[in-house]
Amino acid sequence: MKKALFSLLLLLFAAQVYPQDLPFSKLLNMSAQELIQQNFTYKFNKNRYVLSKTDVWAELLETTDTKSYSIVLQYGDAGPAWLRVQFTSPRAYHNIMGYVLDNGIEYRETVSERQVKVSFEADGYGVELYRVPVNRYRTYTAGSDNWAYSRTTDISHEQFTYVISTGNPAASKWHARKQKKQQRRQNSGRKARSITEYM
């Protein structure tokens, strides 16, 4: 009896630890009214919904920030184009990676000097997950003519960015102006060159 109860509890716990759907994908299917009810703000010029939260107490108390986040849902002519979630919670990062591993999704990990990128495909979406270390230190100095006191506090943390791409191109007045500006630059011969063009 105890064995059956333990295995049942373990099964229930395992089912609750990691989400069964692609994390944050439910936001792609929400209507405009539902997004507004969830406190998203609509940015008309860029045709996107934005929600952000900043942990002010982490700044004031000099602790590591693990509660701040921002969510941007970009729309195109044919519906959502992409969803970008920036956050500082290691738990959310591990939940996303747990979803990938539990569902046997093949992923590609790219490591560079400044970031770790994990990319994979799930539920018909292209997904990228970035992990970037943010090194921050605070130094306070106090003293007088005869003495000095200095204290340095390490408030470093990791910044995570999670992007879901639907394959639809983004469209807005801002995007149209940006494309016209790039087209004018190319037509005038003042094209901005990238380093790869010189290789």
Side-chain angles (χ1 to χ4, degrees):
M1 180 68 178
K2 284 184 181 180
K3 221 179 215 185
L5 182 63
F6 178 74
S7 60
L8 180 64
L9 286 174
L10 187 63
L11 233 162
L12 287 173
F13 177 74
Q16 292 177 357
V17 171
Y18 300 117
Q20 299 303 315
D21 294 330
L22 180 65
F24 299 103
S25 64
K26 67 180 181 179
L27 294 173
L28 296 169
N29 300 321
M30 284 187 174
S31 67
Q33 186 64 29
E34 290 173 323
L35 290 168
I36 296 296
Q37 287 175 353
Q38 296 293 327
N39 297 325
F40 279 81
T41 305
Y42 181 66
K43 305 292 183 182
F44 179 77
N45 191 36
K46 292 189 178 180
N47 192 22
R48 61 176 60 164
Y49 287 89
V50 178
L51 175 67
S52 63
K53 177 187 176 238
T54 305
D55 187 9
V56 179
W57 288 108
E59 291 288 324
L60 295 174
L61 300 175
E62 300 175 354
T63 58
T64 303
D65 182 7
T66 59
K67 296 181 181 175
S68 297
Y69 63 85
S70 74
I71 303 172
V72 178
L73 178 56
Q74 176 66 53
Y75 274 82
D77 292 331
W82 50 261
L83 171 75
R84 183 182 67 223
V85 183
Q86 292 180 312
F87 55 94
T88 55
S89 170
R91 173 183 259 172
Y93 174 81
H94 292 297
N95 284 347
I96 294 168
M97 287 306 297
Y99 167 82
V100 171
L101 296 174
D102 284 353
N103 290 300
I105 297 172
E106 291 184 27
Y107 65 93
R108 185 174 58 245
E109 186 174 61
T110 308
V111 180
S112 68
E113 186 177 325
R114 283 282 303 146
Q115 73 178 6
V116 176
K117 174 186 168 186
V118 175
S119 54
F120 58 93
E121 292 189 10
D123 296 343
Y125 302 122
V127 183
E128 294 176 344
L129 178 61
Y130 299 89
R131 187 178 75 207
V132 179
V134 178
N135 298 320
R136 294 181 59 194
Y137 301 95
R138 277 232 173 100
T139 303
Y140 294 101
T141 305
S144 66
D145 293 336
N146 298 330
W147 62 275
Y149 171 76
S150 178
R151 180 180 70 151
T152 302
T153 305
D154 182 6
I155 54 172
S156 300
H157 63 278
E158 289 184 315
Q159 176 77 36
F160 306 101
T161 303
Y162 178 69
V163 181
I164 301 175
S165 300
T166 63
N168 298 331
S172 69
K173 290 182 178 181
W174 181 81
H175 288 91
R177 272 197 316 267
K178 188 175 177 183
Q179 286 176 343
K180 285 180 185 176
K181 193 175 184 180
Q182 287 176 345
Q183 190 64 37
R184 277 197 312 262
R185 179 178 287 154
Q186 287 177 356
N187 292 342
S188 67
R190 295 183 297 142
K191 182 182 172 192
R193 296 186 171 250
S194 66
I195 190 67
T196 55
E197 292 180 32
Y198 293 107
M199 289 184 169

